[in-house]
Amino acid sequence: MTVESRKALEQIQPYTPGLPVWEVQQKYGLKSVVKLASNENPLGPSPKAIEAIQSSLGELHRYPDANTTAIRHAIGEKLGISSEQFIITNGGDELIKLISETYLEPGDNIIVPSPSFSEYEFGAHLMDAKVIPVPLDDHFRFDVPAILAAVTQQTKIIYVCSPNNPTGTYMTHAQLTELLQGLPKGIIVVIDGAYNHYADAADFTDGIEFVKENYPVVILHTFSKIFGLAGLRIGYGIAQASIIQQILKVKEPFNVNTLAQIAATAALTDEEHLDLSRQTVIEGRKQLYEACRELGLPYIESMGNFVLIELGPHTQNIYDTLLTKGIILRNGKAWGLPQHVRVSIGTKQENSFLIQELRTLLTVGNIK
Ligand SMILES: Cc1ncc(COP(=O)(O)O)c(C=O)c1O
């Protein structure tokens, strides 16, 4: 006799990660593969983080610090916020799950301006809550009046991914103010700032001022992107201390491993690595925009380390052919955008390789 799992789990769709380099190497017999599929840092981890890890390996027989004291203080100092206003998690993904477990009752709903990051849905479905998608506008921008109109008594969480994955668009300061001031009480707004370091628009806000003004917001940050530590799994949430206390109730004691805590603390102050990483993305975005214009491919200007490009009806064919050349992109199908791909910004050489292969395919290869 089979044991039935919870009914709510039937709604959960498995997460589709970017294809790993080794898999594409094996499948196509390739020596080198360029992965532009998971918005990672193409420069690698902060050298200071690597050094810190190497010098702490001998301590691995000890449990990690359950209170994540050093990293909370380091972040607090950097952002000018009390260390009581942070929760450190096993990646931003865990924070989304913990927030869902803290606030969602069966039948509640979350609002997701869509398309966006799929883990918000996962958290809701896990708790038997409903997802209310609110489409971005025709230019993939946030539509605050539509978000406000979607709010019901069941709404518990609104996710604002800014810059938004996969579109790279963002919620302006004025829009976020309008949203927060227009909401009834009792709703948590999660501002997912996984890509906030790459945003350079004058009217972009990371939302921290709204935490300081005691709005019911939780800001998500991660060490997986600009800090280059995706493999270690560490991220954090910023909120009023009372919200943090609520979320801490569902956290496992040793959720963040020792090496992640140590590496993140070191990476946080590695300004050289941060500057270089940011510069690489800002220049890489320009490089891709220029190529798109030359090739006649529509694209969305991005505040993240990725660009959503419209390849048209032959997207799947182009995507598959690029894979055989050793270039991994993210197919837009996952977001209901079958004519788009999301391209993570690589090094200048990696971007050039992609551009050169695309040019060949679209001109000589006759795929259009
Ligand atoms: C928008 C967004 N939020 C959160 C995350 C989670 O990051 P991690 O769990 O690696 O910290 C990602 C990862 O791709 C993301 O794109």
Side-chain angles (χ1 to χ4, degrees):
M1 193 182 110
T2 52
V3 180
E4 286 197 10
S5 61
R6 288 196 297 127
K7 269 267 167 288
L9 305 194
E10 286 170 12
Q11 304 180 73
I12 296 179
Q13 301 294 329
Y15 179 75
T16 329
L19 287 177
V21 169
W22 65 264
E23 199 177 310
V24 177
Q25 272 176 329
Q26 259 179 25
K27 187 164 177 191
Y28 300 104
L30 296 162
K31 272 216 181 73
S32 83
V33 163
V34 172
K35 185 180 177 201
L36 304 174
S38 299
N39 302 339
E40 295 150 339
N41 186 334
L43 304 183
S46 145
K48 287 195 177 165
I50 296 177
E51 212 179 293
I53 288 174
Q54 278 164 345
S55 61
S56 60
L57 290 173
E59 290 301 308
L60 287 182
H61 57 302
R62 304 282 179 209
Y63 279 95
D65 173 11
N67 294 322
T68 56
T69 314
I71 179 72
R72 277 193 301 111
H73 280 91
I75 302 170
E77 209 152 279
K78 183 155 179 164
L79 299 182
I81 299 178
S82 149
S83 60
E84 305 304 306
Q85 293 189 257
F86 298 106
I87 176 170
I88 314 295
T89 56
N90 188 23
D93 285 351
E94 191 198 19
L95 178 65
I96 295 165
K97 186 165 172 246
L98 296 181
I99 293 172
S100 308
E101 290 169 342
T102 305
Y103 295 107
L104 297 177
E105 302 277 7
D108 282 345
N109 74 47
I110 68 164
I111 292 179
V112 182
S114 299
S116 194
F117 187 48
S118 63
E119 288 299 286
Y120 313 143
E121 287 196 13
F122 166 75
H125 288 152
L126 191 64
M127 303 311 296
D128 208 3
K130 280 203 184 66
V131 181
I132 310 292
V134 173
L136 298 171
D137 76 9
D138 291 345
H139 302 281
F140 292 117
R141 290 174 306 208
F142 286 89
D143 184 345
V144 173
I147 298 171
L148 287 171
V151 171
T152 66
Q153 289 204 328
Q154 279 69 47
T155 305
K156 266 301 188 51
I157 302 174
I158 299 178
Y159 283 96
V160 174
C161 185
S162 180
N164 184 47
N165 176 9
T167 56
T169 46
Y170 65 102
M171 186 172 273
T172 65
H173 185 275
Q175 283 180 309
L176 188 55
T177 308
E178 183 190 347
L179 176 67
L180 292 173
Q181 291 182 350
L183 286 175
K185 285 202 169 59
I187 298 175
I188 293 274
V189 176
V190 177
I191 302 170
D192 186 339
Y195 302 100
N196 78 317
H197 287 96
Y198 306 111
D200 56 359
D203 56 355
F204 174 80
T205 174
D206 61 12
I208 289 180
E209 69 187 88
F210 295 100
V211 173
K212 292 182 177 165
E213 289 169 20
N214 285 333
Y215 280 95
V217 298
V218 180
I219 296 177
L220 178 154
H221 280 185
T222 176
F223 284 92
S224 298
K225 306 300 172 184
I226 201 161
F227 296 98
L229 299 175
L232 279 179
R233 313 303 303 128
I234 177 163
Y236 60 98
I238 315 169
Q240 298 168 34
S242 58
I243 294 179
I244 295 294
Q245 286 306 321
Q246 291 172 329
I247 304 174
L248 280 171
K249 287 193 178 170
V250 294
K251 176 187 97 67
E252 287 181 28
F254 304 113
N255 62 328
V256 183
N257 73 75
T258 303
L259 298 182
Q261 293 191 35
I262 285 171
T265 308
L268 201 62
T269 51
D270 190 345
E271 296 300 335
E272 201 183 327
H273 179 259
L274 281 171
D275 286 346
L276 196 60
S277 303
R278 188 178 298 115
Q279 212 42 45
T280 302
V281 165
I282 290 173
E283 284 165 17
R285 287 194 304 225
K286 284 194 202 133
Q287 193 187 354
L288 277 187
Y289 295 164
E290 262 170 44
C292 285
R293 286 195 294 266
E294 176 212 319
L295 298 171
L297 298 171
Y299 63 91
I300 305 294
E301 271 199 31
S302 173
M303 288 294 122
N305 62 345
F306 51 86
V307 180
L308 189 68
I309 302 177
E310 192 176 340
L311 294 181
H314 298 293
T315 298
Q316 185 68 48
N317 193 354
I318 298 172
Y319 171 87
D320 290 340
T321 311
L322 288 172
L323 266 186
T324 67
K325 311 270 178 199
I327 299 173
I328 315 175
L329 305 181
R330 190 63 80 89
N331 197 319
K333 265 193 315 198
W335 296 282
L337 300 169
Q339 307 219 359
H340 289 75
V341 284
R342 191 196 64 191
V343 180
S344 304
I345 308 292
T347 60
K348 193 172 179 193
Q349 292 73 17
E350 289 173 331
N351 303 333
S352 299
F353 179 44
L354 165 69
I355 293 165
Q356 176 199 319
E357 292 298 333
L358 261 181
R359 191 182 288 124
T360 310
L361 273 181
L362 296 175
T363 52
V364 188
N366 274 329
I367 303 183
K368 280 227 168 116

